[in-house]
């Protein structure tokens, strides 16, 4: 759940499977599309986004504004450089702005800007107050 959101907030289902009506995606995840379709039937009032068609900006805004987000798509975890780990919002472009970093998720939940956060000891934490943090698991769960 996002900072300021509540259990009654908007549910957004993000299909980043690459198997939608957009251009063909080499990282296709057909089971993710099926997952989003199943959840859409269970929650008919949920807003549904196809990341390939909506674009990274719309998807990023949904993460920041929705009460609850269900993301079905690819993620990259870099064990050697955890700060490079991210969700892939648009697999086709490969541009850095089409990735959602753990620092961005922490800023959405805990406040501040992504630059206010650092990564270490399997956490994303505020540079000014390391007790203000999310574990990798919590960041992934919030995404």
């Amino acid at each position: 759940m996002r900072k300021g959101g509540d259990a009654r907030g908007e549910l957004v289902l993000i299909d980043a499977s690459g198997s939608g009506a957009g251009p063909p995606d080499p990282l296709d995840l057909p089971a993710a599309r099926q997952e989003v379709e199943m959840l859409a039937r269970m929650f008919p009032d949920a807003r549904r986004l196809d990341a390939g068609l909506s674009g990274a900006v719309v998807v990023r805004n949904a993460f920041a504004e929705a009460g609850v987000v269900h993301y079905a798509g690819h993620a990259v975890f870099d064990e050697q450089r955890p700060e490079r780990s991210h969700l892939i919002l648009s697999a086709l472009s490969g541009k850095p702005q089409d990735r959602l970093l753990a620092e961005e998720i922490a800023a959405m939940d805990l406040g501040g800007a992504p630059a206010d956060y650092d990564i270490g000891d399997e956490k994303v934490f505020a540079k000014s107050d390391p007790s203000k943090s999310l574990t990798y698991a919590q960041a992934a769960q919030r995404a």
Side-chain angles (χ1 to χ4, degrees):
M1 192 170 322
R2 301 280 157 251
K3 182 177 178 141
D6 61 48
R8 297 166 300 184
E10 180 183 34
L11 169 62
V12 176
L13 306 173
I14 298 175
D15 177 359
S17 67
S19 56
D25 185 344
L27 302 175
D28 189 17
L29 292 172
R33 174 162 292 278
Q34 293 167 0
E35 177 181 314
V36 169
E37 289 171 354
M38 178 196 65
L39 288 168
R41 286 190 299 274
M42 292 171 63
F43 301 98
D45 293 336
R47 181 165 56 125
R48 186 171 167 182
L49 295 175
D50 181 312
L53 296 176
S54 300
V57 171
V58 172
V59 172
R60 186 179 303 282
N61 289 342
F63 269 97
E65 297 166 0
V68 177
V69 174
H70 179 83
Y71 172 84
H74 285 283
V76 172
F77 180 72
D78 187 331
E79 215 172 318
Q80 302 300 315
R81 301 277 312 269
E83 70 276 7
R84 292 184 181 173
S85 299
H86 58 274
L87 298 178
I88 299 173
L89 302 182
S90 179
L92 291 175
S93 80
K95 296 177 185 174
Q97 64 266 28
D98 293 340
R99 301 173 180 167
L100 186 65
L101 301 169
E103 293 95 325
E104 294 175 274
I105 295 168
M108 289 176 203
D109 274 17
L110 303 174
D116 298 337
Y117 292 87
D118 205 349
I119 293 180
D121 296 325
E122 299 188 13
K123 290 184 191 176
V124 182
F125 58 90
K127 294 173 185 175
S128 63
D129 179 6
S131 69
K132 190 176 176 182
S133 67
L134 297 173
T135 65
Y136 290 160
Q138 289 170 322
Q141 194 173 39
R142 283 162 170 72

